[in-house]
Amino acid sequence: MLSIPALLLQTAAAVSPLALRPDTTRLPHDVTHYDVSLVLGDSGRHVLGQIDVSWRLESADPVELQLDSTLRVIRVLVNGRENTRLVRTMWGRAGDRIAVPHEGRAGDSLSTRVRYRGDVSDGLVFRQGPGGRRVFADNWPDHAHGWLPVQDHPSDKATVAFHVQVPAGMQVIANGTLEKIDTLPYQHRVWHYQLNEPIPTYSIVIGAGTFAVTPLGRADCPARCVPVTLWTDPADSAWAVSGPFRRAAPMVEFFSRLIGTFPYPSLAHVQAATRFGGMENATAIFYNDSLIRTGQLGEATVAHETAHQWFGDAVTPDDWHHLWLSEGFATYLAAMWAEETGGVAARSGVMRQEADQYFESAQVERPIIDPGVLDPQSLLNDNAYQKGAWVLHQLRGLIGDSLFAAALREFYRAHAHGTAVSADFADAVKKVAGKDFEWYFRQALTQPGYPVLDVRWHHRGNRINLDIQQTQPPGWGTYRLPGVVLRIDGKDFPLDVNGRATHHTLRGFNRPPRKVELDPAGWWLMKARVSGGQ
Ligand SMILES: [Zn+2]
């Protein structure tokens, strides 16, 4: 799907920093569907492909697809015909861009067919293992066009159908539902998959190999339960089923209760080739092969990738600079799964680790929404994950469990199968809380760093005088911390901290306190030192 053109927003006078779209990719038209036919060779890296793209035109400008320049385009059709009616060019190619002129106008539908072939050098990983040949897509952030002609930016989501021809001994996994398998006369099969929900191109994948496929659903699953399967090397199946994927089905039920109905018809967890620990491809999550083979994959990764089906896949950042809406959400939802299964202490432990990693990171000097960085790979950092998770945790502390859950549900309801920027999440929070938290999101997303508080207490008479200084570097600015809890000998006092220096007086203390703690429940990403005396 194509949302409001980025250029329009950037030139508008009063764009909220929460709605900035600094990505330089400009998509002139909207792709609604990719129909992909692929023939994978029996060996080597050769691919023969044909992709039918359905477009909704935004103007009379040519439609444009990206495809790796090493792949040879054999033929391009427009609306099923050779593009001969146009005088000058039938189609043009410059580097990895294929431009196709047409006679359509804004609002028209158009279809293009591109037939291509060649040895794939990017986006598809070819492996020869003990179980035979294996092929996997690894697209993030924009490697899909290494093997598929696509409009390769997450703001343009589309539905997808696959028809993948492989030797009869191989199985194929792809996005969506397996519709049928055709057997060809020469020991080959064609696997047909279809997904009717639009997904970002980084998530459009295939995998081929020899798998043990295990259903993970519960025997007592209610009628509308999501079918969850596990695809592994036969040798790794037993460990994976009883290890990290043991609770994969209840995990889907937990997130469905928390956020909303699972966005797709099914979910497959696949032992695959990916540069990442896990890659959240819609309906077909790919996990790093060696993490499973060596028994190192943990349930936290499964929870993170599963949560991405809602946030990342179904609700997709409209611009890479809002990547925290994907990674921060998945990271925090994995912490909530830890809380669901191991209690508050388990969640606190996870969030403490995330905080420690962030404090050590060079990213503390940069804000989460960082318009100066244009490479998505560089935006995949401790701001998007660790601090992003803390943006949600702090918000939960500010508005409480039930409003926080309502905000997740509202954001998902409003943007499922579409795209969003941070301002859209701020709007969802405002809607459910009945109160504007724009100040909070500006602070959390556009300021670098974190509060460093120096809290000094002084007991005199029956009073405790508090002097709270914000001592973080001046370049980070100051922060508002409404209701941050000071616990004095077990009793909680919520304080509003704002600006470089805050003073409070608490009464009713006939004796000096024995123990003074700031934010004992750990709702704020900050460092604090508490000291005092008489
Ligand atoms: Zn992730």
Side-chain angles (χ1 to χ4, degrees), residues 280 304-305 308 326-327 330 385:
E280 66 267 21
H304 177 107
E305 304 307 335
H308 266 311
S326 174
E327 297 304 348
Y385 288 78

Side-chain angles (χ1 to χ4, degrees), residues 180-247:
K180 59 174 180 165
I181 305 170
D182 292 335
T183 302
L184 303 179
Y186 43 93
Q187 298 296 308
H188 280 66
R189 288 192 178 136
V190 182
W191 293 61
H192 301 268
Y193 279 86
Q194 168 97 29
L195 182 62
N196 295 323
E197 289 79 24
I199 56 174
T201 51
Y202 67 73
S203 178
I204 294 180
V205 294
I206 58 154
T210 310
F211 303 96
V213 182
T214 313
L216 296 177
R218 304 187 310 190
D220 61 346
C221 185
R224 293 183 58 212
C225 201
V226 180
V228 181
T229 51
L230 176 64
W231 297 52
T232 64
D233 278 354
D236 297 324
S237 175
W239 176 79
V241 168
S242 61
F245 297 98
R246 184 168 53 92
R247 297 190 285 201

